[in-house]
Amino acid sequence: MQTDRLLTGVLRAGAVLAALVMLLILCFLLLESWPVLTGLSVFRFLTDASWHPLEGAYNLMPMLAGTLLASIGALILAVPLGIASALFIVFFAPLHLASIYKRLIELLAGIPSVVFGFWGLTTLAPLIGEWQPPGASLLAGVLVLTLMILPMITITAYTALAAVPKELLQNASALGLSRWGTVRGVALPAARTGITAGVILAAARALGETMAVLMVAGNVVQYPESVFDPVRTLAANIALEMAYAMGDHRSVLFVSGLLLMLLVMVLSAMAGLLEKRRYA
Amino acid sequence: MPETIPLQTKQKIRDCTAQGLIYLAVLLVSAVFVWLLTDLVRGGIAHLSWAFLTESPHDAGRTGGIASILVSTLLILLVALITAIPLAWSTAILMAEFVPVESNFGKTVRFSLYVLAGVPSIVFGLFGNAFFSIYLGLGFSILSGGLTLACMLLPILTSTAEAGLRAVPDTYRLSAAALGISRTAALIHLIMPAAAPALTAGLLIGVGRALAETAALLFTSGYVDRMPGSLLDSGRALALHIFDLSMNVPGGDNAAYASALVLVCLLLSINILAMKLAYGLQRRKIMT
Amino acid sequence: MTIDTNAFTLGPLEAGPPCCEPQTVIQVRNLSLHYESQAALDNVSLDIYKGCITALIGPSGCGKTSFLSAINRMTDLIPGCSVDGRILVDNEDIHHPKTDVQSLRRRIGMVFQKPTPFPLSIRRNLALPLNEHGVTQTKEVIVIIKKALQDVGLWDEVCDRLDAPALSLSGGQQQRLCIARALALNPEILLMDEPCSALDPIASGVVEDLICRLQGRYTIVIVTHNLAQARRIANYAAFFWVRERTGQLVEFGRCRHIFESPRDALTAAYVNGNRG
């Protein structure tokens, strides 16, 4: 009994420490961005003429737009492809092909973002550049992000579809529904919350992704006029400027980190609520 | 005249279109990924050799190898695991074995880790720079990089371990209790060994995450590509090396390809191993 | 029932005292048990006699298993479960703050419905609880293991593969291993929760026979749904019934009385197969 009590004590200490990490991160982000949050008007992030941190111009909006555009573009491409891939694995593929394809997707989920970025930089961007220079552009960023979040969407959609009770599907077939009729009428609605949660998590991942986008998107701070214009995302901006940022500039970078984290936290809270509702 | 087309034919057309589109999507995805992988292999294999793995980089990495990079990567990984595993596993054991799911303590810890899991890696980088490098004065070092990664690995290590422990049948706990075995002893002799494959699989997934990480290390472990002399030296991780070679070193593409190939091979073997463990686990569950 | 006598041989068993002088080992007084707010057992008082087999019979949900779990305080492990009333084992209150649960559970062995061998070797299954209770000398441990396995008739079947995984044994062998595991701790009392119901008829017969042979040496409390089995093996029987989802003790007495001349009409209906 005494050892039990000792053990729970030690474990509890470990758990408390682990839980405190999140608090610590929040504290330090706030601490570092405090000078700017209190010293500067928040509206300056919206209304400053441009992003010239060395001259004290801190307009974050173009980069926020770049971040959102890249993520939305990637979702537009990856959601249909991912759901189609999951449907293929669960309903349409012959058995051995399904397992091979699933393996492929799982392995791709393990490829690091820097490798995707590197491939985009050496292969994708020059290819786009031949067609519409300069190549390093919003489009390249979108494509690389698509590749990165596609496995995630596929795997969550697959899990949700595979969890649809077999009886439901058999019943649908017994009612004379065709394969696509079963999929669209029964399987997809039944798996809807799970798939949505997966898509939201993928969106969070896309918003926070740094390296891949940094390497292919061109990193010019501007509102893009077409998909072939280079853009800079918030995360890429942090990675680019952190090395030499001082004073207010550094604080603004922490503010953008905080902003990024809040965006991602809202999304993952949404996904969490959906998951909870699924099990409720 | 759509009325003249019978319903069944219309359905058949719709079914075929849907199926065709799905096959097309799968083909597209597979083609792109095969393209990516062949590109990597073709670009990397030419430059890859034993010497590449055992020599240190020269001329900013254009020539020479990645020996010092591999050592730094390994050290960062070790620091991260040694810090994260005790915390993560004790949290998991507490959550799975001792604390009721609905208790406030359990809910708080779980919520905190859930939020932590969603934090983007660049934000971990910011935090690591502010806390470990500057506040704790560790500077740009393997130690700060490793500790930052440890924070990042906590959620994944905890959740995989907790799931593994929960998958151990309750009968073991009950019969151990009925034999008057203390919970500590049951944990050490029965439950942890039974959950070992799951714990290992989770550990491997964590290792994979750590190896793939770049953004969190940018301004914590730094860029220095020399062989690290101590944990307080700056050391460049493999993923960061690829980034640096391709972005900042003109003419570094060959070395970058080779490094990328090494990294991808490492990650693939780790992932395959983790998957094997997980599948084996499932099969065993079906058998008993 | 025909029993394949080749399936096992019983080891030497010491004869226990005959079960004729009722000597109380466990006194249960006004035991009530709640899960959250739902009462599972209401005001049960019962004596368990030394060296005898007491069978607990009754329909599903009448609280037999809850009663059994209360005796070795396994109920502590069920969240939301509260126990009122007193249980004395050898005149010691098991709920006394000074009572050590672990040594209580060593003195009161328990066998579950489904065989629950640990995913370890046969040897380790028996050695682990022994080590936990301070028997660490390898020689001593192997002597105890051998005796326990002989007692359950498993020694001849497994003596040449003690290091094989316990999960490789058949269901009946696993259950006997679990009984041996409990016996190795040299308990005074054995609690058995339908130990035969998850086994095939032949294995069930072997285990039943084993339980009969343990009579006298151990005080056995057994939950069973099989009335014929209770009649065959038990000295005493306690009949539980469920009213409004709460279990209560209807009648307790010598097995023969319960089955042949029950005082309560409900008992009579149940043992004759008219109710339940």
Side-chain angles (χ1 to χ4, degrees):
Chain A
M1 290 320 259
Q2 212 155 14
T3 49
D4 282 5
R5 219 164 296 144
L6 188 74
L7 181 75
T8 30
V10 171
L11 295 179
R12 212 166 260 271
V16 167
L17 260 177
L20 280 180
V21 168
M22 188 61 233
L23 205 63
L24 200 66
I25 290 179
L26 262 179
C27 282
F28 266 83
L29 285 182
L30 280 173
L31 201 72
E32 292 278 340
S33 35
W34 199 246
V36 165
L37 286 179
T38 50
L40 296 179
S41 154
V42 176
F43 292 106
R44 289 195 47 196
F45 301 132
L46 306 170
T47 55
D48 270 7
S50 61
W51 172 260
H52 281 107
L54 299 181
E55 282 103 64
Y58 301 119
N59 190 348
L60 290 175
M61 285 303 118
M63 290 184 287
L64 187 61
T67 307
L68 292 177
L69 283 174
S71 303
I72 291 168
L75 282 178
I76 289 173
L77 291 178
V79 168
L81 286 176
I83 293 177
S85 297
L87 286 175
F88 176 76
I89 297 171
V90 182
F91 295 108
F92 287 89
L95 205 59
H96 62 282
L97 249 174
S99 68
I100 292 176
Y101 189 63
K102 187 162 164 257
R103 278 289 174 93
L104 180 75
I105 295 282
E106 281 171 337
L107 295 182
L108 288 160
I111 290 187
S113 58
V114 72
V115 172
F116 279 113
F118 175 62
W119 183 72
L121 181 71
T122 53
T123 309
L124 220 48
L127 216 61
I128 298 172
E130 274 173 32
W131 174 33
Q132 290 278 353
S137 58
L138 176 60
L139 180 64
V142 165
L143 290 177
V144 167
L145 270 183
T146 304
L147 289 182
M148 292 196 56
I149 60 174
L150 182 94
M152 197 169 169
I153 294 178
T154 308
I155 290 169
T156 46
Y158 162 79
T159 317
L161 285 170
V164 176
K166 284 276 167 300
E167 298 78 34
L168 227 59
L169 303 175
Q170 277 167 359
N171 219 318
S173 304
L175 288 169
L177 265 66
S178 64
R179 182 146 68 163
W180 176 247
T182 310
V183 167
R184 210 197 55 181
V186 179
L188 281 177
R192 199 183 58 217
T193 33
I195 296 177
T196 317
V199 168
I200 292 174
L201 285 179
R205 170 98 191 266
L207 283 177
E209 177 48 41
T210 316
M211 303 318 285
V213 186
L214 167 68
M215 291 165 86
V216 299
N219 300 320
V220 178
V221 184
Q222 62 176 2
Y223 292 105
E225 278 167 14
S226 77
V227 289
F228 302 108
D229 282 347
V231 292
R232 182 186 289 193
T233 64
L234 283 174
N237 183 50
I238 299 173
L240 282 167
E241 300 190 349
M242 194 50 197
Y244 61 86
M246 313 275 266
D248 275 359
H249 183 194
R250 185 178 151 92
S251 290
V252 175
L253 291 184
F254 273 87
V255 171
S256 57
L258 208 57
L259 182 64
L260 212 53
M261 196 166 95
L262 289 180
L263 276 176
V264 167
M265 266 164 70
V266 168
L267 286 177
S268 63
M270 276 165 64
L273 282 180
L274 274 178
E275 289 281 318
K276 226 176 237 160
R277 216 176 55 194
R278 193 162 66 146
Y279 293 116
Chain B
M1 282 182 291
E3 284 89 347
T4 57
I5 303 172
L7 186 66
Q8 281 204 320
T9 323
K10 239 162 75 181
Q11 253 183 10
K12 207 162 253 171
I13 292 171
R14 195 194 58 187
D15 263 46
C16 285
T17 324
Q19 188 161 357
L21 284 177
I22 286 173
Y23 274 84
L24 206 66
V26 168
L27 219 61
L28 180 70
V29 172
S30 315
V32 170
F33 279 135
V34 169
W35 181 19
L36 191 160
L37 289 178
T38 45
D39 240 23
L40 275 185
V41 173
R42 227 186 26 217
I45 207 106
H47 202 73
L48 200 59
S49 64
W50 183 243
F52 183 72
L53 296 177
T54 53
E55 275 175 29
S56 278
H58 301 295
D59 189 16
R62 288 185 194 88
T63 57
I66 52 170
S68 59
I69 311 288
L70 289 176
V71 171
S72 301
T73 311
L74 192 70
L75 287 176
I76 294 172
L77 188 65
L78 281 180
V79 170
L81 290 180
I82 289 170
T83 325
I85 284 176
L87 288 184
W89 285 2
S90 54
T91 310
I93 293 171
L94 192 76
M95 297 308 217
E97 304 287 329
F98 293 98
V99 177
V101 180
E102 288 303 314
S103 73
N104 282 331
F105 182 79
K107 271 188 188 160
T108 314
V109 173
R110 204 164 284 127
F111 174 77
S112 163
L113 288 172
Y114 181 78
V115 176
L116 193 64
V119 173
S121 57
I122 188 79
V123 174
F124 277 104
L126 284 176
F127 162 73
N129 180 269
F131 183 64
F132 296 118
S133 300
I134 294 174
Y135 183 78
L136 293 185
L138 300 174
F140 283 74
S141 66
I142 286 171
L143 205 54
S144 346
L147 291 173
T148 308
L149 276 190
C151 299
M152 231 180 124
L153 294 184
L154 272 181
I156 183 80
L157 288 178
T158 310
S159 60
T160 49
E162 192 185 335
L165 290 169
R166 282 192 191 282
V168 176
D170 248 353
T171 53
Y172 296 169
R173 298 181 183 94
L174 286 180
S175 20
L179 290 165
I181 296 175
S182 70
R183 297 178 90 165
T184 312
L187 192 68
I188 295 169
H189 295 294
L190 289 172
I191 295 167
M192 294 284 273
L199 293 180
T200 322
L203 182 67
L204 287 174
I205 293 171
V207 170
R209 285 273 172 92
L211 283 180
E213 190 45 49
T214 321
L217 297 175
L218 268 175
F219 14 86
T220 51
S221 68
Y223 274 92
V224 176
D225 62 4
R226 277 192 308 273
M227 188 65 85
S230 81
L231 290 183
L232 287 170
D233 279 356
S234 169
R236 189 193 285 186
L238 190 54
L240 203 64
H241 188 56
I242 299 167
F243 170 71
D244 195 53
L245 281 176
S246 55
M247 291 293 280
N248 305 334
V249 182
D253 273 5
N254 282 333
Y257 264 119
S259 310
L261 189 60
V262 171
L263 182 59
V264 168
C265 287
L266 264 176
L267 287 171
L268 287 193
S269 31
I270 286 171
N271 283 352
I272 288 172
L273 208 61
M275 264 187 249
K276 275 245 162 69
L277 278 170
Y279 283 136
L281 214 66
Q282 271 173 3
R283 208 165 348 168
R284 216 178 51 185
K285 233 180 268 163
I286 292 162
M287 267 168 61
T288 48
Chain C
M1 181 179 294
T2 55
I3 291 170
D4 182 4
T5 45
N6 293 326
F8 78 103
T9 41
L10 271 182
L13 265 181
E14 305 149 22
C19 179
C20 49
E21 284 175 63
Q23 184 192 344
T24 308
V25 190
I26 307 174
Q27 287 174 281
V28 180
R29 291 293 173 267
N30 308 104
L31 179 75
S32 296
L33 202 141
H34 294 258
Y35 295 114
E36 307 293 349
S37 56
Q38 174 65 41
L41 262 187
D42 184 38
N43 202 18
V44 174
S45 296
L46 189 62
D47 281 353
I48 306 280
Y49 299 120
K50 193 180 180 79
C52 300
I53 299 180
T54 306
L56 310 180
I57 57 174
S60 300
C62 67
K64 301 175 306 248
T65 301
S66 301
F67 177 82
L68 204 66
S69 316
I71 298 177
N72 68 344
R73 280 179 62 183
M74 289 294 278
T75 41
D76 291 8
L77 300 177
I78 305 168
C81 178
S82 61
V83 180
D84 301 307
R86 270 155 50 97
I87 300 177
L88 303 179
V89 175
D90 284 340
N91 292 319
E92 285 170 38
D93 188 346
I94 64 164
H95 291 111
H96 194 276
K98 273 192 186 158
T99 306
D100 179 37
V101 182
Q102 274 164 241
S103 56
L104 176 80
R105 291 187 187 140
R106 191 198 63 71
R107 281 165 51 205
I108 307 178
M110 190 171 200
V111 177
F112 295 86
Q113 179 172 3
K114 275 193 188 152
T116 55
F118 298 135
L120 307 167
S121 69
I122 297 170
R123 185 202 309 275
R124 191 88 182 102
N125 255 284
L126 289 139
L128 176 64
L130 284 171
N131 293 345
E132 261 307 292
H133 290 289
V135 186
T136 45
Q137 292 278 314
T138 321
K139 264 188 197 158
E140 204 182 341
V141 168
I142 191 69
V143 169
I144 296 176
I145 289 179
K146 183 174 175 187
K147 186 160 172 297
L149 286 174
Q150 279 173 339
D151 282 354
V152 299
L154 205 57
W155 176 255
D156 291 338
E157 292 162 54
V158 302
C159 61
D160 52 348
R161 51 182 180 123
L162 282 177
D163 290 309
L167 290 170
S168 67
L169 296 173
S170 72
Q173 287 175 322
Q174 288 187 6
Q175 191 62 303
R176 279 186 282 150
L177 179 72
C178 291
I179 297 175
R181 195 170 63 186
L183 294 185
L185 294 175
N186 198 21
E188 299 154 33
I189 300 160
L190 268 183
L191 308 176
M192 298 183 147
D193 189 359
E194 301 186 45
C196 299
S197 66
L199 305 178
D200 64 75
I202 293 181
S204 170
V206 172
V207 171
E208 189 183 312
D209 207 55
L210 165 65
I211 295 169
C212 280
R213 290 180 186 231
L214 295 176
Q215 181 200 355
R217 257 172 82 192
Y218 303 96
T219 306
I220 296 175
V221 185
I222 182 170
V223 170
T224 178
H225 269 122
N226 183 339
L227 289 179
Q229 183 183 55
R231 199 168 186 164
R232 279 195 300 272
I233 63 174
N235 307 108
Y236 289 90
F239 172 60
F240 286 75
W241 187 254
V242 53
R243 275 200 195 95
E244 286 157 19
R245 294 169 65 200
T246 303
Q248 23 187 247
L249 177 65
V250 177
E251 191 169 352
F252 172 70
R254 283 197 169 270
C255 194
R256 196 154 15 109
H257 293 163
I258 294 282
F259 278 96
E260 287 165 13
S261 51
R263 270 168 295 156
D264 196 290
L266 206 54
T267 318
Y270 185 76
V271 297
N272 292 323
N274 299 336
R275 292 289 294 272

